[in-house]
PDB file of all heavy atoms in Angstrom:
ATOM      1  N   ILE Z 177      37.961 -35.275  19.979  1.00 94.00           N
ATOM      2  CA  ILE Z 177      38.068 -33.930  20.504  1.00 94.00           C
ATOM      3  C   ILE Z 177      38.398 -33.964  21.978  1.00 94.00           C
ATOM      4  O   ILE Z 177      39.346 -33.349  22.452  1.00 94.00           O
ATOM      5  CB  ILE Z 177      36.766 -33.143  20.251  1.00 94.00           C
ATOM      6  CG1 ILE Z 177      36.457 -33.113  18.727  1.00 94.00           C
ATOM      7  CG2 ILE Z 177      36.868 -31.726  20.810  1.00 94.00           C
ATOM      8  CD1 ILE Z 177      37.515 -32.429  17.908  1.00 94.00           C
ATOM      9  N   ARG Z 178      37.581 -34.667  22.736  1.00 96.00           N
ATOM     10  CA  ARG Z 178      37.769 -34.668  24.187  1.00 96.00           C
ATOM     11  C   ARG Z 178      38.281 -36.029  24.632  1.00 96.00           C
ATOM     12  O   ARG Z 178      37.637 -37.057  24.374  1.00 96.00           O
ATOM     13  CB  ARG Z 178      36.415 -34.381  24.873  1.00 96.00           C
ATOM     14  CG  ARG Z 178      36.482 -34.310  26.434  1.00 96.00           C
ATOM     15  CD  ARG Z 178      35.088 -34.074  27.016  1.00 96.00           C
ATOM     16  NE  ARG Z 178      35.074 -34.137  28.447  1.00 96.00           N
ATOM     17  CZ  ARG Z 178      35.214 -33.048  29.248  1.00 96.00           C
ATOM     18  NH1 ARG Z 178      35.367 -31.866  28.682  1.00 96.00           N
ATOM     19  NH2 ARG Z 178      35.198 -33.147  30.559  1.00 96.00           N
ATOM     20  N   GLU Z 180      39.594 -38.288  27.915  1.00 97.00           N
ATOM     21  CA  GLU Z 180      39.623 -38.417  29.362  1.00 97.00           C
ATOM     22  C   GLU Z 180      40.486 -39.618  29.737  1.00 97.00           C
ATOM     23  O   GLU Z 180      40.472 -40.637  28.999  1.00 97.00           O
ATOM     24  CB  GLU Z 180      38.260 -38.549  29.996  1.00 97.00           C
ATOM     25  CG  GLU Z 180      37.373 -37.301  29.827  1.00 97.00           C
ATOM     26  CD  GLU Z 180      36.081 -37.420  30.593  1.00 97.00           C
ATOM     27  OE1 GLU Z 180      35.938 -38.358  31.403  1.00 97.00           O
ATOM     28  OE2 GLU Z 180      35.201 -36.530  30.418  1.00 97.00           O
ATOM     29  N   VAL Z 198      41.514 -34.365  31.624  1.00 96.00           N
ATOM     30  CA  VAL Z 198      40.834 -34.102  30.369  1.00 96.00           C
ATOM     31  C   VAL Z 198      41.747 -33.321  29.440  1.00 96.00           C
ATOM     32  O   VAL Z 198      42.384 -32.337  29.893  1.00 96.00           O
ATOM     33  CB  VAL Z 198      39.528 -33.296  30.602  1.00 96.00           C
ATOM     34  CG1 VAL Z 198      38.802 -33.089  29.257  1.00 96.00           C
ATOM     35  CG2 VAL Z 198      38.601 -34.041  31.608  1.00 96.00           C
ATOM     36  N   VAL Z 205      42.648 -29.551  29.976  1.00 93.00           N
ATOM     37  CA  VAL Z 205      41.494 -28.728  30.393  1.00 93.00           C
ATOM     38  C   VAL Z 205      41.406 -28.897  31.920  1.00 93.00           C
ATOM     39  O   VAL Z 205      40.614 -29.713  32.417  1.00 93.00           O
ATOM     40  CB  VAL Z 205      40.181 -29.166  29.707  1.00 93.00           C
ATOM     41  CG1 VAL Z 205      39.054 -28.214  30.050  1.00 93.00           C
ATOM     42  CG2 VAL Z 205      40.382 -29.218  28.211  1.00 93.00           C
ATOM     43  N   ASP Z 208      38.311 -29.167  34.237  1.00 94.00           N
ATOM     44  CA  ASP Z 208      37.469 -30.360  34.201  1.00 94.00           C
ATOM     45  C   ASP Z 208      38.127 -31.572  34.896  1.00 94.00           C
ATOM     46  O   ASP Z 208      37.577 -32.651  34.915  1.00 94.00           O
ATOM     47  CB  ASP Z 208      37.149 -30.741  32.733  1.00 94.00           C
ATOM     48  CG  ASP Z 208      36.187 -29.762  32.072  1.00 94.00           C
ATOM     49  OD1 ASP Z 208      35.687 -28.859  32.819  1.00 94.00           O
ATOM     50  OD2 ASP Z 208      35.933 -29.886  30.884  1.00 94.00           O
ATOM     51  N   ARG Z 233      31.723 -41.100  37.868  1.00 95.00           N
ATOM     52  CA  ARG Z 233      31.866 -40.129  36.753  1.00 95.00           C
ATOM     53  C   ARG Z 233      30.688 -40.223  35.802  1.00 95.00           C
ATOM     54  O   ARG Z 233      30.058 -39.206  35.410  1.00 95.00           O
ATOM     55  CB  ARG Z 233      33.192 -40.387  36.032  1.00 95.00           C
ATOM     56  CG  ARG Z 233      33.293 -39.831  34.598  1.00 95.00           C
ATOM     57  CD  ARG Z 233      33.322 -38.306  34.598  1.00 95.00           C
ATOM     58  NE  ARG Z 233      33.512 -37.811  33.254  1.00 95.00           N
ATOM     59  CZ  ARG Z 233      32.549 -37.196  32.549  1.00 95.00           C
ATOM     60  NH1 ARG Z 233      31.328 -37.052  33.067  1.00 95.00           N
ATOM     61  NH2 ARG Z 233      32.778 -36.733  31.351  1.00 95.00           N
ATOM     62  N   PHE Z 234      30.348 -41.425  35.342  1.00 96.00           N
ATOM     63  CA  PHE Z 234      29.350 -41.554  34.299  1.00 96.00           C
ATOM     64  C   PHE Z 234      27.935 -41.565  34.841  1.00 96.00           C
ATOM     65  O   PHE Z 234      27.006 -41.356  34.052  1.00 96.00           O
ATOM     66  CB  PHE Z 234      29.677 -42.827  33.460  1.00 96.00           C
ATOM     67  CG  PHE Z 234      30.881 -42.652  32.584  1.00 96.00           C
ATOM     68  CD1 PHE Z 234      32.118 -43.092  32.959  1.00 96.00           C
ATOM     69  CD2 PHE Z 234      30.741 -41.954  31.365  1.00 96.00           C
ATOM     70  CE1 PHE Z 234      33.243 -42.901  32.167  1.00 96.00           C
ATOM     71  CE2 PHE Z 234      31.866 -41.743  30.557  1.00 96.00           C
ATOM     72  CZ  PHE Z 234      33.104 -42.226  30.964  1.00 96.00           C
ATOM     73  N   ARG Z 236      27.016 -39.208  36.826  1.00 93.00           N
ATOM     74  CA  ARG Z 236      26.786 -37.799  36.698  1.00 93.00           C
ATOM     75  C   ARG Z 236      26.480 -37.413  35.230  1.00 93.00           C
ATOM     76  O   ARG Z 236      25.607 -36.596  34.950  1.00 93.00           O
ATOM     77  CB  ARG Z 236      27.970 -36.981  37.193  1.00 93.00           C
ATOM     78  CG  ARG Z 236      28.202 -37.108  38.702  1.00 93.00           C
ATOM     79  CD  ARG Z 236      29.494 -36.391  39.101  1.00 93.00           C
ATOM     80  NE  ARG Z 236      29.805 -36.609  40.511  1.00 93.00           N
ATOM     81  CZ  ARG Z 236      30.964 -36.248  41.058  1.00 93.00           C
ATOM     82  NH1 ARG Z 236      31.904 -35.701  40.324  1.00 93.00           N
ATOM     83  NH2 ARG Z 236      31.179 -36.459  42.354  1.00 93.00           N
ATOM     84  N   LEU Z 237      27.223 -38.049  34.352  1.00 94.00           N
ATOM     85  CA  LEU Z 237      27.022 -37.788  32.918  1.00 94.00           C
ATOM     86  C   LEU Z 237      25.623 -38.236  32.516  1.00 94.00           C
ATOM     87  O   LEU Z 237      24.941 -37.584  31.701  1.00 94.00           O
ATOM     88  CB  LEU Z 237      28.070 -38.472  32.101  1.00 94.00           C
ATOM     89  CG  LEU Z 237      28.070 -38.171  30.564  1.00 94.00           C
ATOM     90  CD1 LEU Z 237      28.265 -36.677  30.335  1.00 94.00           C
ATOM     91  CD2 LEU Z 237      29.158 -38.996  29.899  1.00 94.00           C
ATOM     92  N   GLY Z 240      22.997 -35.790  32.973  1.00 90.00           N
ATOM     93  CA  GLY Z 240      23.137 -34.571  32.203  1.00 90.00           C
ATOM     94  C   GLY Z 240      24.215 -33.601  32.691  1.00 90.00           C
ATOM     95  O   GLY Z 240      24.283 -32.483  32.218  1.00 90.00           O
ATOM     96  N   GLU Z 241      25.032 -34.081  33.620  1.00 91.00           N
ATOM     97  CA  GLU Z 241      26.081 -33.242  34.144  1.00 91.00           C
ATOM     98  C   GLU Z 241      27.397 -33.534  33.417  1.00 91.00           C
ATOM     99  O   GLU Z 241      27.894 -34.649  33.438  1.00 91.00           O
ATOM    100  CB  GLU Z 241      26.295 -33.498  35.662  1.00 91.00           C
ATOM    101  CG  GLU Z 241      25.030 -33.253  36.489  1.00 91.00           C
ATOM    102  CD  GLU Z 241      25.250 -33.620  37.948  1.00 91.00           C
ATOM    103  OE1 GLU Z 241      26.413 -33.815  38.341  1.00 91.00           O
ATOM    104  OE2 GLU Z 241      24.257 -33.685  38.690  1.00 91.00           O
ATOM    105  N   GLY Z 242      27.963 -32.507  32.797  1.00 90.00           N
ATOM    106  CA  GLY Z 242      29.258 -32.634  32.158  1.00 90.00           C
ATOM    107  C   GLY Z 242      29.148 -33.008  30.702  1.00 90.00           C
ATOM    108  O   GLY Z 242      28.054 -33.099  30.087  1.00 90.00           O
ATOM    109  N   ILE Z 243      30.322 -33.258  30.060  1.00 93.00           N
ATOM    110  CA  ILE Z 243      30.436 -33.547  28.650  1.00 93.00           C
ATOM    111  C   ILE Z 243      31.018 -34.950  28.475  1.00 93.00           C
ATOM    112  O   ILE Z 243      31.970 -35.347  29.166  1.00 93.00           O
ATOM    113  CB  ILE Z 243      31.341 -32.522  27.953  1.00 93.00           C
ATOM    114  CG1 ILE Z 243      30.818 -31.107  28.200  1.00 93.00           C
ATOM    115  CG2 ILE Z 243      31.412 -32.776  26.458  1.00 93.00           C
ATOM    116  CD1 ILE Z 243      31.747 -30.007  27.700  1.00 93.00           C
ATOM    117  N   ALA Z 244      30.491 -35.672  27.558  1.00 95.00           N
ATOM    118  CA  ALA Z 244      30.973 -37.052  27.289  1.00 95.00           C
ATOM    119  C   ALA Z 244      32.291 -36.990  26.547  1.00 95.00           C
ATOM    120  O   ALA Z 244      32.477 -36.186  25.655  1.00 95.00           O
ATOM    121  CB  ALA Z 244      29.950 -37.874  26.536  1.00 95.00           C
ATOM    122  N   PRO Z 245      33.229 -37.900  26.895  1.00 95.00           N
ATOM    123  CA  PRO Z 245      34.479 -37.921  26.140  1.00 95.00           C
ATOM    124  C   PRO Z 245      34.317 -38.667  24.820  1.00 95.00           C
ATOM    125  O   PRO Z 245      33.435 -39.475  24.649  1.00 95.00           O
ATOM    126  CB  PRO Z 245      35.398 -38.703  27.090  1.00 95.00           C
ATOM    127  CG  PRO Z 245      34.488 -39.647  27.826  1.00 95.00           C
ATOM    128  CD  PRO Z 245      33.208 -38.856  28.012  1.00 95.00           C
ATOM    129  N   ASP Z 246      35.144 -38.316  23.841  1.00 96.00           N
ATOM    130  CA  ASP Z 246      35.197 -39.071  22.612  1.00 96.00           C
ATOM    131  C   ASP Z 246      36.109 -40.281  22.712  1.00 96.00           C
ATOM    132  O   ASP Z 246      35.929 -41.272  22.024  1.00 96.00           O
ATOM    133  CB  ASP Z 246      35.726 -38.168  21.488  1.00 96.00           C
ATOM    134  CG  ASP Z 246      34.864 -36.915  21.291  1.00 96.00           C
ATOM    135  OD1 ASP Z 246      33.669 -37.097  20.965  1.00 96.00           O
ATOM    136  OD2 ASP Z 246      35.370 -35.788  21.468  1.00 96.00           O
ATOM    137  N   ILE Z 272      31.184 -44.821  23.358  1.00 95.00           N
ATOM    138  CA  ILE Z 272      32.432 -44.139  23.682  1.00 95.00           C
ATOM    139  C   ILE Z 272      33.574 -45.130  23.532  1.00 95.00           C
ATOM    140  O   ILE Z 272      33.557 -46.236  24.044  1.00 95.00           O
ATOM    141  CB  ILE Z 272      32.396 -43.625  25.130  1.00 95.00           C
ATOM    142  CG1 ILE Z 272      31.309 -42.553  25.258  1.00 95.00           C
ATOM    143  CG2 ILE Z 272      33.732 -43.008  25.542  1.00 95.00           C
ATOM    144  CD1 ILE Z 272      31.084 -42.062  26.691  1.00 95.00           C
TER     145      ILE Z 272
END
Side-chain angles (χ1 to χ4, degrees):
I177 302 298
R178 183 183 176 92
E180 293 187 10
V198 182
V205 186
D208 289 354
R233 160 69 177 107
F234 287 97
R236 293 174 185 171
L237 185 61
E241 301 176 12
I243 305 172
D246 302 298
I272 297 174

